[in-house]
Amino acid sequence: MPRKLIPKPIHLGETATAWIKFTILWTVTLRGLDYLSGVTGPVASLGVVERAAPLWLWGAILLASCVVAVSGTFSGMRSLLIVGHLAAGLTMMALGFGQLLVVVGPDGISGYRTGAGIMGGGILHMVIAFSAWSQVIVEKMVADDATS
């Protein structure tokens, strides 16, 4: 029998999964609202990626991704859930990577926690999107088997 990556994995269940989704969507919503709040002028702590576009645009992307993911969750349309979490995940990973680029210098890395944390949230969104996508594939395979 093949060795498992995690010998005794836990199965989170619906309640824990709902809280995880709520938490990561809440953090993206707060970041989106923060970006839309009207910060003006140069901000030294902004990452390379954040400075690549107006902050209101990042805020709009993050809030739109949350609306799409939440709509998909409550409507049962997994395609919306997947697209919303995928958009949030890719955006957060890009923003986190941009933060990491700011703290890398000739003396090494100093202050990497913010970028790493933002990227971690992005990865969680990607995991949710991939999990939902894989469930769609499995359900389609089961339906195809049932009709053949």
Side-chain angles (χ1 to χ4, degrees), residues 82-143:
I82 293 165
V83 168
H85 280 287
L86 190 63
L90 290 172
T91 305
M92 293 296 283
M93 288 172 59
L95 293 171
F97 184 72
Q99 285 285 337
L100 288 177
L101 291 178
V102 169
V103 299
V104 174
D107 298 329
I109 298 176
S110 175
Y112 60 88
R113 294 177 306 280
T114 299
I118 294 169
M119 286 183 73
I123 290 168
L124 285 175
H125 283 285
M126 300 299 282
V127 167
I128 300 254
F130 177 76
S131 295
W133 174 76
S134 64
Q135 288 175 6
V136 168
I137 298 299
V138 168
E139 288 171 0
K140 184 175 177 346
M141 290 170 39
V142 168

Side-chain angles (χ1 to χ4, degrees), residues 18-39:
W19 276 106
I20 291 167
K21 287 168 59 175
F22 169 78
T23 302
I24 63 175
L25 287 169
W26 179 245
T27 59
V28 168
T29 300
L30 291 178
R31 184 169 287 276
L33 290 172
D34 183 39
Y35 288 165
L36 285 175
S37 70
V39 174

Side-chain angles (χ1 to χ4, degrees), residues 17-94:
T17 301
W19 276 106
I20 291 167
K21 287 168 59 175
F22 169 78
T23 302
I24 63 175
L25 287 169
W26 179 245
T27 59
V28 168
T29 300
L30 291 178
R31 184 169 287 276
L33 290 172
D34 183 39
Y35 288 165
L36 285 175
S37 70
V39 174
T40 58
V43 180
S45 66
L46 289 181
V48 175
V49 175
E50 286 170 309
R51 285 180 285 189
L55 288 180
W56 65 263
L57 180 60
W58 291 119
I61 291 168
L62 291 172
L63 289 176
S65 68
C66 285
V67 168
V68 172
V70 168
S71 298
T73 298
F74 290 111
S75 70
M77 296 178 65
R78 284 210 181 117
S79 58
L80 290 178
L81 181 143
I82 293 165
V83 168
H85 280 287
L86 190 63
L90 290 172
T91 305
M92 293 296 283
M93 288 172 59

